[in-house]
Amino acid sequence: MAVQSWSDVLKSSKKTALLNDGKRKIHYLFTDGKEMAEEYDLETDELVGRRWRHKNALGAVGPWQVEVGEPIAGPDASTSSEVIKENCSNPIFMRKDTKASFQWRIRNLPFSKDVFNVSVEPSERCIVIKTTNKKYYKKFSIVDLDRCQLPLDCSALSFTHANNTLIVSYKKPKEILILEQELLKELKKIKGPCEGDVDCKTQ
């Protein structure tokens, strides 16, 4: 079963823990050289961040790619008038899960809720966001379901809109909930160093 296969990959990885800034930070090193860094809120146990880093064909380590949490801020270009920056009013897409649901937030969408059409495309294994005014379009996959090879369920999808932000939620299937509970138990057994340990690989 694919869920068990992904669970085995997580368990067999080399893990380093660090408790810092109210978060449990876990660094995973997989046998294929990939790295994953996760952050959990110590009070709620909610996942607040997940990033991946891969090696390229030449063996060089690439930059961190955000899967869950706030996008990584780039270099501060505010002091240079020659640098082209993305318009701050452009839509900002990010994932921010809850314990019960996968959740995505798209900021800077000043339209009413009835403008949005959010649907599941099972054949393409993705969620599609469209607007009737043709001002925004987004297609994205649920990588957790892909890793576990679980089907997409149209009834698990819902969305709301408030404060210029579209919030798309997808209820986690029971297989994912069980996997996350088991993983969290394992992570809590890892005795991490105290705050400020410079040897910890998590960032």
Side-chain angles (χ1 to χ4, degrees):
M1 187 177 180
V3 177
Q4 185 59 46
S5 176
W6 173 238
S7 175
D8 291 342
V9 170
L10 289 172
K11 289 177 181 176
S12 64
S13 65
K14 183 179 179 182
K15 292 177 278 293
T16 307
L18 173 67
L19 304 182
N20 178 262
D21 195 27
K23 298 185 181 80
R24 182 186 310 277
K25 302 181 180 184
I26 309 293
H27 177 271
Y28 302 77
L29 179 60
F30 298 99
T31 54
D32 60 2
K34 292 178 183 176
E35 297 175 76
M36 182 173 76
E38 290 186 330
E39 294 184 1
Y40 293 85
D41 186 291
L42 280 175
E43 290 188 12
T44 65
D45 287 335
E46 283 189 2
L47 176 70
V48 295
R50 179 186 291 145
R51 292 172 289 160
W52 287 86
R53 188 160 66 176
H54 310 260
K55 290 184 178 179
N56 63 23
L58 299 176
V61 176
W64 286 102
Q65 302 293 324
V66 177
E67 181 179 312
V68 179
E70 292 281 349
I72 297 175
D76 184 12
S78 60
T79 56
S80 174
S81 59
E82 298 176 4
V83 177
I84 298 174
K85 294 195 296 181
E86 186 176 10
N87 191 321
C88 62
S89 65
N90 284 350
I92 299 172
F93 179 88
M94 63 169 287
R95 180 173 151 188
K96 183 177 173 61
D97 292 355
T98 68
K99 281 190 174 181
S101 301
F102 302 118
Q103 196 171 88
W104 300 264
R105 295 168 183 253
I106 305 97
R107 300 175 188 149
N108 298 334
L109 291 178
F111 316 123
S112 59
K113 183 180 177 181
D114 57 9
V115 168
F116 295 96
N117 183 327
V118 183
S119 61
V120 169
E121 297 292 339
S123 59
E124 296 185 44
R125 294 191 59 80
C126 67
I127 294 173
V128 177
I129 302 172
K130 300 177 184 177
T131 56
T132 55
N133 61 12
K134 298 185 179 179
K135 296 286 187 181
Y136 186 78
Y137 178 87
K138 182 77 176 179
K139 180 189 289 187
F140 58 95
S141 62
I142 307 177
V143 290
D144 301 71
L145 299 188
D146 290 344
R147 279 192 288 261
C148 296
Q149 296 178 26
L150 293 170
L152 274 70
D153 179 7
C154 296
S155 66
L157 184 69
S158 63
F159 72 96
T160 186
H161 185 271
N163 301 317
N164 292 341
T165 300
L166 181 71
I167 302 173
V168 178
S169 300
Y170 185 97
K171 189 176 180 181
K172 294 176 181 177
K174 65 179 186 301
E175 293 92 343
I176 294 291
L177 293 173
I178 293 170
L179 174 63
E180 290 180 345
Q181 289 169 0
E182 291 178 348
L183 176 62
L184 193 58
K185 288 179 182 177
E186 291 295 320
L187 297 181
K188 287 184 176 180
K189 293 177 184 177
I190 304 173
K191 301 300 180 184
C194 297
E195 291 192 13
D197 192 310
V198 294
D199 294 328
C200 184
K201 292 183 180 179
T202 43
Q203 299 186 40

